[in-house]
Amino acid sequence: MIRIRTGAPRRALFRARGRARLRTRTGKRVSRLDPPRIRRVLTLGLPAVWGAAAVTYKLVCPLARQDGLEARIITSAVFFAVGAGLILHVRGTLLRELRQLREVAGAAQNALLRPLPPRVEGLTVAAGRLSASRGASVGGDLYEVVATDHGVRIVMGDVRGHGLTAISTAAAVLGSFREAAHEETELPHVLRKLERSLGRHLRERSRAEHPANGAPAPHSPAAEEFVTVLLMEIGPDGGMTALNCGHPWPYRLRGRAEPVSAGEPLPPLGPFPLPVELPLLHCGPLLPGEALALHTDGMEDTRDAAGRFFPLQAALTEAVRVPPVAPQTVIRAVYAQLLRHAGRLPTDDAALLVLRNDRRRVPVQQGETVRRESTMT
């Protein structure tokens, strides 16, 4: 961008614009110094220079036409240098392209499963994830925490399998939740919208895989796709309600980890339609100073070399034994134990989300109490 001072002569302005841009025959403006174009020229030019140097040596240099041992050694050294230069040049080009692809992939993954804010309506939030897909930080696990007019709403889900298809399904569910969490007044309506969005996504995938079919084919991967989902809502008073579609129940953290179970879960989204009635499950209050840990089944299904499952409840209890509960510390401690237990990267995606209630009860003059969102001191 060129900055022109106020009152600068018009001829200087035109000269500056002429130096900055060129106009092609089609009328498109292009930069005189185009970095991608320069990189393309270097990519093609340097190998040509190396090759020209080798051919010139072979045709012009007298040593190249001699049969003596010394001449052969020098010729071999020249061609070795040319070959090494070409290999290093190709390697550098590939590394630059790989770095650019990783940056683009990282930006896309963060847009899908964006980093959570450290605080949401008086709740301190921290999350961690491990992807079983090599080279990816996002897999089939999904989570989100949003502050709405109806309370803080949370989703934790797990798409069957992992890889690119699981990522696309997770994107469909997350996109629907981010919209429905604000628009729908009731949590069951949010779940209905997630079900419709997932069904539409699976139908579109099936049409792309089998254009002749309008619905998922019986033996297509889309027909076997399902998503376990846990929807939770934390009200201003700390009261928790939930809808569970085949997902593991969370743990309440207050000096130890206690499982939160509010009844039998619904079937996962995808293979079967939801029942007509979706009664809310009440999970009790999340008191000030207490925390809630939501997870996917990849945490508890991780095995060690002897085939033993990872003891998630014991790991959470160990992480919160000394108060206060710090969500970020809990995340680091549990994942460190998980990696030590497995001895390698897990074979399934594993996500963990911890929320701590930092609201407190403030007394008023009339003897009543009200809940006000503020930081615990």
Side-chain angles (χ1 to χ4, degrees):
M1 176 174 149
I2 299 175
R3 297 184 181 273
I4 304 297
R5 293 183 180 178
T6 304
R10 296 184 63 185
R11 285 183 297 177
L13 174 62
F14 291 141
R15 285 197 300 268
R17 288 180 176 176
R19 287 193 299 267
R21 298 182 180 91
L22 294 176
R23 189 178 294 274
T24 63
R25 293 179 181 178
T26 59
K28 181 180 178 182
R29 289 181 175 181
V30 297
S31 173
R32 183 184 297 271
L33 298 177
D34 188 3
R37 184 170 299 177
I38 293 175
R39 284 196 294 269
R40 286 195 294 270
V41 170
L42 292 177
T43 301
L44 297 175
L46 289 179
V49 170
W50 283 105
V55 173
T56 301
Y57 170 80
K58 185 66 177 178
L59 297 178
V60 177
C61 184
L63 288 175
R65 294 190 291 271
Q66 296 180 10
D67 294 331
L69 178 61
E70 180 180 357
R72 291 181 180 179
I73 292 176
I74 295 176
T75 301
S76 300
V78 170
F79 280 94
F80 177 79
V82 171
L86 288 174
I87 292 173
L88 291 176
H89 173 72
V90 172
R91 179 179 179 273
T93 302
L94 293 177
L95 287 177
R96 284 195 301 270
E97 293 179 356
L98 179 61
R99 191 179 306 113
Q100 293 173 356
L101 289 175
R102 284 180 174 174
E103 290 176 358
V104 173
Q109 291 171 0
N110 286 332
L112 167 62
L113 199 58
R114 57 196 180 195
L116 297 176
R119 288 182 59 81
V120 178
E121 292 293 330
L123 302 177
T124 300
V125 181
R129 61 181 184 263
L130 282 176
S131 175
S133 299
R134 185 177 180 85
S137 60
V138 177
D141 293 348
L142 58 100
Y143 55 79
E144 183 63 285
V145 181
V146 294
T148 70
D149 297 335
H150 321 292
V152 176
R153 288 180 169 174
I154 309 155
V155 63
M156 173 67 79
D158 187 1
V159 181
R160 174 185 177 271
H162 51 268
L164 294 179
T165 56
I167 292 176
S168 66
T169 303
V173 175
L174 274 177
S176 178
F177 172 78
R178 287 165 180 162
E179 180 181 359
H182 293 279
E183 291 185 352
E184 303 296 339
T185 57
E186 302 293 336
L187 205 59
H189 296 166
V190 177
L191 185 59
R192 294 286 185 193
K193 201 159 189 176
L194 296 188
E195 182 187 29
R196 292 195 297 271
S197 177
L198 177 62
R200 183 168 56 251
H201 168 75
L202 295 181
R203 287 192 298 271
E204 291 174 354
R205 261 187 52 194
S206 179
R207 281 195 293 267
E209 297 170 356
H210 306 277
N213 298 326
H219 302 292
S220 70
E224 301 175 356
E225 194 84 31
F226 66 86
V227 183
T228 64
V229 171
L230 174 63
L231 282 180
M232 297 196 72
E233 181 177 298
I234 302 178
D237 60 349
M240 297 187 296
T241 54
L243 286 171
N244 190 344
C245 293
H247 198 81
W249 284 104
Y251 289 94
R252 189 193 305 270
L253 308 180
R254 46 184 177 187
R256 62 184 183 277
E258 302 172 350
V260 175
S261 180
E264 290 296 324
L266 300 167
L269 297 181
F272 305 104
L274 291 174
V276 178
E277 296 294 331
L278 296 176
L280 279 175
L281 302 175
H282 297 274
C283 306
L286 185 67
L287 300 178
E290 293 182 349
L292 191 69
L294 296 85
H295 64 282
T296 58
D297 58 5
M299 300 291 297
E300 294 180 318
D301 290 347
T302 300
R303 299 172 181 260
D304 61 7
R308 292 170 296 191
F309 290 104
F310 177 63
L312 178 60
Q313 183 175 0
L316 288 170
T317 299
E318 180 67 24
V320 301
R321 191 177 301 278
V322 179
V325 178
Q328 195 63 251
T329 303
V330 172
I331 295 290
R332 287 195 295 265
V334 171
Y335 274 107
Q337 293 191 48
L338 177 71
L339 293 175
R340 283 197 300 268
H341 177 84
R344 63 187 187 285
L345 287 177
T347 57
D348 193 8
D349 302 328
L352 181 64
L353 173 65
V354 180
L355 305 96
R356 183 185 65 201
N357 186 358
D358 282 349
R359 303 162 180 170
R360 66 180 180 184
R361 192 182 300 271
V362 181
V364 294
Q365 294 180 352
Q366 289 80 5
E368 300 175 348
T369 58
V370 296
R371 289 190 179 273
R372 181 178 303 169
E373 296 177 3
S374 60
T375 305
M376 295 185 64
T377 57

